[in-house]
Amino acid sequence: MRIPAHSVCTAIRDDIVAGVHERGGRLTEEVLARRYGVSRVPVREALRTLEAEGFVVTRRHAGACVAEPTEQEAADLLEMRVLLEPLGASRAAQRRTEAHLKVLRGLVRLGQERARQGNSDDLRSLSGWFHETLAQATGSPALTSTLTQLRHKIAWMYATEGPSDPVEYWAEHGAIVDAVARGDGDRARSVTALHTERASAGHRLRFASGAGRADRVRNSQHPVNIPSLRH
């Protein structure tokens, strides 16, 4: 499947998150170039970027391989999100635009509607879109990038259970937007902290200590260039 060269990094990252490229598996430039329908140059550049992000490591005599994070590294990511997402919401309350608010309010309305209908697949996707928009509303490219990478890595390392009460879950999203719309940074920070802590409780590691390559997704037909942020 041929894709634009600038999208190769996204495609490889999405496939790593989905488990198509297995933990510890080799990432050969020639094979990846053939898979994504590009030359080896954008593949090489993508692997450098993914190594900087922590998805790829370079090993002697093996070359580029999918990273194998430890349980402690995975736990650290959840802790970082609990700290950074409230900060992001506080910044969004100070810097959001009307365009951000329009999207956030629309997502909350749609999420609440889907929650009442019990459509869990739509809710997962909408939640990802909500948090992407909230991160963009911070007005900080560095913070937006960090939050985005956190969500990618958490989606890679953890399977998530749906909220026990989807209606309440989306009411929390609504409370975040209300605080952001009012410009109340302290309120936005506190409600987001509570929301993030509750969401983190539903995460389960995809790998066990010492299990190495256990519990992987093996979907070789995973489509490229489709957002994979799920939480």
Side-chain angles (χ1 to χ4, degrees):
M1 177 182 295
R2 180 170 293 276
I3 63 172
H6 68 270
S7 299
V8 173
C9 184
T10 299
I12 298 174
R13 185 193 299 109
D14 284 352
D15 278 347
I16 289 174
V17 170
V20 175
H21 301 305
E22 300 180 344
R23 287 165 43 84
R26 291 187 63 187
L27 295 168
T28 307
E29 289 181 11
E30 182 179 356
V31 173
L32 293 175
R34 193 162 54 243
R35 172 178 172 80
Y36 301 112
V38 296
S39 72
R40 295 174 63 170
V41 174
V43 169
R44 189 175 304 125
E45 293 173 352
L47 292 177
R48 291 196 194 103
T49 298
L50 293 171
E51 183 168 18
E53 293 179 357
F55 289 95
V56 171
V57 295
T58 300
R59 293 180 176 149
R60 189 176 182 182
H61 306 308
C65 300
V66 179
E68 297 183 90
T70 65
E71 287 191 28
Q72 184 59 63
E73 289 170 330
D76 287 346
L77 291 177
L78 289 183
E79 186 173 358
M80 288 170 64
R81 190 173 75 164
V82 167
L83 294 172
L84 290 179
E85 286 206 343
L87 172 63
S90 177
R91 291 292 182 270
Q94 300 162 6
R95 303 171 181 173
R96 88 293 184 278
T97 65
E98 288 301 315
H100 291 133
L101 284 179
K102 183 177 180 180
V103 174
L104 290 168
R105 285 168 170 157
L107 289 169
V108 168
R109 284 195 298 270
L110 192 55
Q112 290 174 336
E113 176 185 328
R114 293 293 190 271
R116 289 191 293 268
Q117 296 171 350
N119 192 330
S120 59
D121 289 339
D122 280 357
L123 289 178
R124 197 177 296 272
S125 177
L126 289 170
S127 181
W129 191 0
F130 176 90
H131 287 284
E132 285 181 41
T133 305
L134 190 63
Q136 292 165 4
T138 65
S140 167
L143 185 53
T144 300
S145 176
T146 299
L147 288 169
T148 298
Q149 286 191 37
L150 274 175
R151 287 193 300 275
H152 278 303
K153 288 183 178 179
I154 289 170
W156 174 35
M157 297 182 198
Y158 289 92
T160 57
E161 300 174 357
S164 57
D165 187 342
V167 174
E168 180 182 357
Y169 182 78
W170 276 91
E172 293 174 2
H173 283 86
I176 293 170
V177 175
D178 288 344
V180 169
R182 292 197 305 270
D184 189 340
D186 290 340
R187 173 66 176 167
R189 184 191 294 265
S190 63
V191 294
T192 302
L194 179 60
H195 174 74
T196 305
E197 288 173 1
R198 287 177 175 172
S200 295
H203 288 66
R204 300 291 179 268
L205 272 176
R206 295 184 185 276
F207 58 93
S209 179
R213 302 170 186 269
D215 197 21
R216 294 193 185 92
V217 179
R218 296 177 177 270
N219 180 9
S220 61
Q221 299 302 314
H222 175 67
V224 297
N225 288 335
I226 295 178
S228 60
L229 302 183
R230 302 289 185 266
H231 54 292

